[in-house]
Amino acid sequence: MSELAAAKRIVVKVGSSLLVGPDGAPDGAWLSALAADIGRLRDRGQQVLVVSSGAVALGRKRLSLGKRTLTLPEKQAAAAAGQSALMRAWELALEPFGLSAAQILLTRDDTEVRRRWLNARATTETLMTLGVIPVVNENDTVVTEEIRYGDNDRLAARVAQMIGADVLVLLSDIDGLYSADPRSNPDAVHIPRLTHLTAEIEAMAGGANQGAGVGTGGMATKILAARIAQQAGCATIITLGSRPAPLAAVEAGEPATLIEPALSAKAAYKAWIAGSLSPAGGLTIDAGAARALTTGKSLLPAGVRRVTGRFEKGDAVLVQDEAGRDIARGLVRYDDTDAARICGLKSASIEQVLGFSEGPMIHADDLALLFEPPV
Ligand code: GLU
């Protein structure tokens, strides 16, 4: 499957039942083989982020909670006790390959509230630039039932969206999607590739394949995750995780299901900025800045004439020219007070005036043009 080899950023989701052995301890041999597989991608220059479950399962053993159903506070206690065991297992596995892990614990708000989303994205990107493997899990200890993702398939898809990943790999206990449950139906056909996630596919995942999932998420949550990724411009690969090197196996052509992205990650991000966010304020820019934006440049404070409305750093703002025409929408790097103080100034004076600098008013990557630039 060429998509995996070609991807720049890859999110790999690992479920509890792969990582935790029947004795309740981490499966070190399997983890080590996966770490080697991840190291191979890193050596090729690809960035890899891991979303790992297993905290509750490992915490169960640490706290001697047995196999019974846990109450929410018990689950949260197990997550707290197990998360450090989980990180230790990842560190032990990654270290021999010269890789280090960094723990990131997220709640749903971190990927849904824009400012927190931007912060989480910046930290994650810094870690990946520094060559570290971020290991993400839900912050189960602090979330309540109503505000949790609940399953790491969905968390992984949101993280893939957040960092603009090209490929999301969901390691499962089955090698992809089938037209029916292959364990009970000998006529079940493996589906190697999907362009659209139709209602029929979703019904199939909810019915025949439902029992095929591991941990909290069954095949239905995998399809849900694939849908989020698809709209974010990210391909999803569902494959068998229990193989010693599941990523190498996919590349070598072992069965997997690939769900194609609906559009490119960059286009999806820009569409999100242009379409789904309501602007909290506005910036009026001069003709020179308007021209610069159409050639893909960032919006610098020097080109901003006026700041309107109240907004926080990271909010979406509407960018208009002096005639009131809508030029772009973008995520602004300063709040309205700071933006007003630096508007019209050269970038070199930002730090002098504010005592800090976040760079341009709106970075080109966070800017969506609202019209086709004239050619
Ligand atoms: N966050 C949970 C854990 O670490 C797992 C949730 C899931 O597997 O989907 O145990």
Side-chain angles (χ1 to χ4, degrees):
M1 199 166 272
S2 61
E3 279 82 356
L4 191 54
K8 289 198 188 72
R9 278 193 180 161
I10 301 157
V11 172
V12 180
K13 187 261 171 179
V14 177
S16 303
S17 69
L18 290 168
L19 192 142
V20 184
D23 58 350
D27 184 341
W30 180 80
L31 255 181
S32 165
L34 179 62
D37 212 3
I38 289 172
R40 190 178 53 84
L41 304 189
R42 270 286 317 279
D43 291 344
R44 277 197 317 218
Q46 296 172 289
Q47 293 182 333
V48 184
L49 178 148
V50 171
V51 174
S52 178
S53 310
V56 174
L58 294 173
R60 234 179 219 283
K61 185 178 166 77
R62 266 201 178 172
L63 302 181
S64 308
L65 291 168
K67 298 233 183 290
R68 66 185 166 81
T69 310
L70 303 179
T71 63
L72 183 61
E74 280 174 336
K75 231 190 261 175
Q76 294 184 309
Q83 183 61 31
S84 52
L86 181 63
M87 287 313 294
R88 187 161 68 143
W90 274 107
E91 276 166 6
L92 283 175
L94 290 169
E95 239 163 50
F97 304 99
L99 300 169
S100 43
Q103 168 181 281
I104 300 184
L105 296 177
L106 296 176
T107 61
R108 214 167 68 187
D109 276 356
D110 294 317
T111 58
E112 286 177 9
V113 175
R114 202 159 46 252
R115 212 154 339 118
R116 292 173 65 161
W117 187 94
L118 286 173
N119 280 336
R121 182 180 71 165
T123 310
T124 311
E125 290 200 335
T126 306
L127 286 169
M128 287 192 297
T129 312
L130 292 171
V132 176
I133 308 286
V135 178
V136 179
N137 196 0
E138 180 157 22
N139 196 353
D140 291 313
T141 305
V142 297
V143 292
T144 58
E145 205 60 68
E146 308 80 60
I147 61 154
R148 57 199 295 259
Y149 293 99
D151 71 83
N152 275 8
D153 291 322
R154 210 143 41 116
L155 170 63
R158 286 284 176 216
V159 169
Q161 174 180 34
M162 182 173 87
I163 63 165
D166 316 271
V167 173
L168 163 66
V169 183
L170 300 175
L171 297 179
S172 172
D173 64 351
I174 187 163
D175 55 9
L177 267 181
Y178 283 80
S179 57
D181 188 342
R183 289 165 303 189
S184 55
N185 188 340
D187 297 327
V189 182
H190 181 262
I191 305 168
R193 185 175 278 267
L194 280 171
T195 310
H196 301 289
L197 287 170
T198 56
E200 212 182 333
I201 301 282
E202 281 183 22
M204 242 155 58
N209 282 300
Q210 192 155 38
V214 296
T216 325
M219 199 46 87
T221 72
K222 295 196 166 37
I223 295 296
L224 212 74
R227 181 181 286 288
I228 294 171
Q230 184 173 54
Q231 294 312 316
C234 176
T236 301
I237 296 174
I238 302 173
T239 192
L240 188 65
S242 53
R243 297 186 184 107
L247 306 172
V250 166
E251 284 186 45
E254 290 292 334
T257 296
L258 182 126
I259 298 134
E260 292 176 9
L263 64 180
S264 79
K266 201 170 164 190
Y269 182 58
K270 299 233 163 178
W272 175 70
I273 291 174
S276 337
L277 304 175
S278 35
L283 301 174
T284 305
I285 62 173
D286 63 26
R291 263 195 311 277
L293 296 196
T294 62
T295 62
K297 300 254 169 39
S298 296
L299 176 63
L300 305 177
V304 179
R305 286 281 168 90
R306 211 169 41 251
V307 176
T308 47
R310 303 295 307 267
F311 49 85
E312 297 287 336
K313 174 189 167 193
D315 276 343
V317 292
L318 178 64
V319 180
Q320 292 178 313
D321 67 10
E322 288 177 287
R325 278 186 295 253
D326 293 354
I327 304 287
R329 283 188 185 188
L331 305 184
V332 66
R333 295 199 163 186
Y334 301 87
D335 66 23
D336 58 290
T337 315
D338 289 343
R341 288 177 68 197
I342 58 172
C343 100
L345 298 185
K346 290 211 177 322
S347 299
S349 351
I350 301 175
E351 194 156 356
Q352 244 172 1
V353 174
L354 298 180
F356 68 92
S357 172
E358 297 282 356
M361 196 72 99
I362 302 176
H363 191 277
D365 287 349
D366 300 326
L367 204 102
L369 292 179
L370 295 177
F371 65 97
E372 284 297 316
V375 269

